[in-house]
Amino acid sequence: SGRSLCLLWEAERRYEVLHAGSLLSRGGDVNAGPRAAPSVDSGRDASSFAWVGDGDRFAVLRRRAGGRAAAAVEVYKLAEAEADAVELAAGASVAAATSVRTGTVRVKGGGDPSALFGGPSLL
């Protein structure tokens, strides 16, 4: 994504999506007023993560530890908070974006969905 980045801890099977603009604007100016929090999504049981296309959509490959359930690919999109949001103006701490689950990808023929993850972008 052009506006967000993902940190993936494979050994811990967790991820966190950060809003780059909010992360970079958190410099040392304490008098700059309230800012949106950079952490916009996080999760566990993640075997892999990939951005989908050029927009703010991403996919997470989940394999439940110890379970016999098949792996699942969940697809999400990020909806950014408005820069002039009332909550920010009032001094509240809000996330720079919110993730919304848009669906699940199923591999035709019941194949292993990990084949879709060929790197940082979903194939």
Side-chain angles (χ1 to χ4, degrees), residues 32-47:
R35 292 192 174 95
S39 179
V40 296
D41 190 57
S42 63
R44 299 196 175 280
D45 295 325
S47 296

Side-chain angles (χ1 to χ4, degrees), residues 22-81:
S22 297
L23 189 63
L24 295 172
S25 71
R26 297 188 73 79
D29 187 1
V30 255
N31 298 320
R35 292 192 174 95
S39 179
V40 296
D41 190 57
S42 63
R44 299 196 175 280
D45 295 325
S47 296
S48 192
F49 179 99
W51 293 106
V52 179
D54 294 332
D56 286 331
R57 294 182 186 275
F58 62 91
V60 177
L61 174 64
R62 294 193 194 273
R63 292 184 190 276
R64 305 289 185 229
R68 300 219 15 111
V73 177
E74 299 169 356
V75 181
Y76 297 85
K77 69 176 180 177
L78 294 176
E80 283 198 33

Side-chain angles (χ1 to χ4, degrees), residues 105-113:
V105 175
R106 302 210 188 286
V107 178
K108 220 175 186 181
D112 183 4

Side-chain angles (χ1 to χ4, degrees), residues 95-109:
T98 301
S99 66
V100 179
R101 185 172 170 177
T102 59
T104 303
V105 175
R106 302 210 188 286
V107 178
K108 220 175 186 181

